[in-house]
């Protein structure tokens, strides 16, 4: 007597977008004795069919899939007489995340909140907008593994926008951390010290530069920042200072002044 038989048809699709059919995914159909009775491989339409399978219960095991996808868990299936068992099986993409950490360039312990970034895929299509929290961090949603780019679009008004486009590789079940530094906007204070009147003792004309005059610079909280001294041209330059309000106090001047 001939054993009753049936068919099985598999349609393999992307879990996030079922319209994406997956070609080249391989399956084994295994009977209760552990014997592979059919090996199936999906075609360009994501379909694989095995015909004339003895009725009964089997294990359907996915053995190979595309590199960017996870292997789907095996499942029990039942073949019935003169019927085609149709299965749509979804494949989950391997995914990871990106964590952007935004810090002050001069002091990495200072975390910057409210900095905005855009995340681009390998083709530089925008896929997500991020904004750093109070810890200076911003984490993406789950992203399929691959290459991405992160670009700063908006920063604190005290800082210079970092317009570097940073490449990031996202790996399976991991968080790719990138540390991005922001440099504070800075300027300098220049003091030009001259003689108000003609100095007959030193034989200097009115407007002549005065060397060796000392000035203290204080921030807006009246905290001492630095002391600068005029050179032979009567000029004293501060180091680069963060933008903001400062006060300057002359603390020592030239002899005969």
């Amino acid at each position: 007597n001939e054993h009753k038989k049936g068919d099985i048809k598999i349609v393999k699709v992307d879990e996030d977008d079922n319209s994406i059919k997956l070609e080249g995914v391989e399956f084994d159909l295994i009977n209760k004795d552990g014997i592979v009775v059919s090996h199936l491989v999906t075609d360009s339409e994501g379909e694989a069919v095995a015909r004339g399978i003895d009725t009964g219960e089997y294990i359907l095991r996915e053995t190979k899939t595309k590199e960017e996808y996870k292997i789907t868990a095996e499942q029990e299936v039942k073949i019935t007489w003169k019927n085609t068992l149709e299965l749509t099986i979804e494949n989950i993409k391997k995914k990871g995340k990106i964590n952007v950490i935004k810090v002050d360039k001069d002091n990495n312990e200072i975390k910057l909140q409210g900095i905005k970034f855009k995340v681009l895929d390998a083709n530089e299509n925008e896929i997500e907008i991020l904004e750093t929290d109070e810890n200076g961090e911003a984490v993406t949603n789950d992203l399929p593994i691959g290459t991405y780019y992160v670009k700063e679009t908006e920063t604190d008004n005290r800082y210079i926008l970092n317009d570097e486009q940073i490449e990031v590789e996202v790996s399976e079940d991991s968080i790719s951390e990138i540390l991005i530094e922001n440099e504070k906007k800075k300027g300098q204070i220049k003091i030009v010290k001259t003689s108000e009147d003609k100095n007959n003792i030193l034989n200097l004309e009115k407007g002549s530069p005065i060397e060796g005059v000392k000035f203290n610079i204080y921030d807006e909280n009246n905290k001492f920042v630095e002391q600068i001294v005029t050179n032979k041209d009567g000029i004293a330059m501060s180091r680069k200072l963060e933008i903001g309000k400062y006060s300057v106090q002359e603390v020592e001047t030239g002899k005969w002044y």
Side-chain angles (χ1 to χ4, degrees), residues 124-181:
E124 299 194 12
N125 298 309
E126 184 179 306
I127 57 173
E128 193 171 350
I129 296 293
L130 301 177
E131 183 173 347
T132 55
D133 60 18
E134 65 276 8
N135 298 312
E137 298 188 17
V139 182
T140 64
N141 295 317
D142 286 331
L143 301 173
I145 62 171
T147 302
Y148 293 85
Y149 300 96
V150 174
K151 187 171 183 179
E152 186 173 314
T153 59
E154 190 176 316
T155 191
D156 188 300
N157 59 14
R158 298 169 298 163
Y159 288 84
I160 300 170
L161 184 74
N162 186 336
D163 59 0
E164 179 186 2
Q165 188 162 290
I166 301 171
E167 182 176 315
V168 189
E169 200 68 30
V170 173
S171 303
E172 182 182 4
D173 297 330
S174 67
I175 298 177
S176 301
E177 288 192 348
I178 53 172
L179 184 75
I180 303 177
E181 297 179 324

Side-chain angles (χ1 to χ4, degrees), residues 9 57 73 120 142 174 218 222 231 237 251:
K9 178 182 178 181
E57 295 181 350
L120 311 172
D142 286 331
S174 67
Y218 302 89
N222 207 33
N231 60 17
M237 289 283 289
V251 293

